[in-house]
Amino acid sequence: MKFSLLSFLMFTILISCSSQKKLQNFNVTSYKKVNSDYQYGGEKLKFKENVYTPILTAVYSNEKLVSLLLFKSEGAINYSAKDLDADTIFKKLLNIPDIRTVAIYKQIIEDNKVKYPISGINKDAVFSIRNDSLFIYNKL
């Protein structure tokens, strides 16, 4: 009896520790770290004492790329998945996957089977700092 109860408790703890939240509809915005006096485009984000400017936002529906926003000095330029498919060189340059699987664990975010640390969570947004870049995953 003690053995089966202990086994059950260990199994429950193991399951709860490995629980994940898989995102189906989401966007991912990448930012680059800049100086606080940086002036290009206008949009800036302060996160954990650093300042970031947006580079691009990829929008996914059912893990499939739907559209992309590329941030330039004159504002964001929107590209549909069809636009990107028509310009394969541009799409390869951006290195944006057509299919993207994202799972959120307790302190880790898994993006296409690569695990990254979570730097912060705010409602439906997950923040991940990687070198001089910030990635924000938003559930849609």
Side-chain angles (χ1 to χ4, degrees), residues 32-51:
K32 73 175 179 179
K33 188 175 169 183
V34 295
N35 292 326
S36 59
D37 59 349
Y38 180 79
Q39 293 299 320
Y40 181 80
E43 283 192 55
K44 287 193 267 185
L45 172 71
K46 188 172 182 179
F47 181 74
K48 294 202 174 186
E49 305 304 318
N50 292 308
V51 178

Side-chain angles (χ1 to χ4, degrees), residues 9 14 18 25 38 89 97 104 115-116 119 122 128-131:
L9 288 173
L14 181 63
S18 65
N25 303 308
Y38 180 79
I89 294 172
I104 301 167
K115 295 179 180 179
Y116 301 101
S119 305
N122 184 2
S128 179
I129 296 174
R130 304 173 203 160
N131 298 323

Side-chain angles (χ1 to χ4, degrees), residues 61-79:
S61 178
N62 294 318
E63 300 179 347
K64 185 172 170 44
L65 181 65
V66 179
S67 64
L68 178 96
L69 281 172
L70 183 63
F71 295 91
K72 305 298 269 176
S73 62
E74 57 275 357
I77 302 169
N78 190 28
Y79 296 93

Side-chain angles (χ1 to χ4, degrees), residues 70-136:
L70 183 63
F71 295 91
K72 305 298 269 176
S73 62
E74 57 275 357
I77 302 169
N78 190 28
Y79 296 93
S80 68
K82 189 175 179 178
D83 295 335
L84 294 169
D85 288 339
D87 191 345
T88 57
I89 294 172
F90 180 60
K91 186 175 179 180
K92 271 189 176 179
L93 177 70
L94 294 174
N95 195 26
I96 302 297
D98 287 323
I99 304 295
R100 195 169 197 166
T101 57
V102 173
I104 301 167
Y105 298 88
K106 190 168 186 164
Q107 292 297 319
I108 300 289
I109 188 157
E110 187 177 87
D111 188 343
N112 276 353
K113 302 199 186 260
V114 179
K115 295 179 180 179
Y116 301 101
I118 291 176
S119 305
I121 297 176
N122 184 2
K123 296 183 183 173
D124 286 334
V126 175
F127 300 79
S128 179
I129 296 174
R130 304 173 203 160
N131 298 323
D132 285 339
S133 297
L134 170 67
F135 292 82
I136 301 177

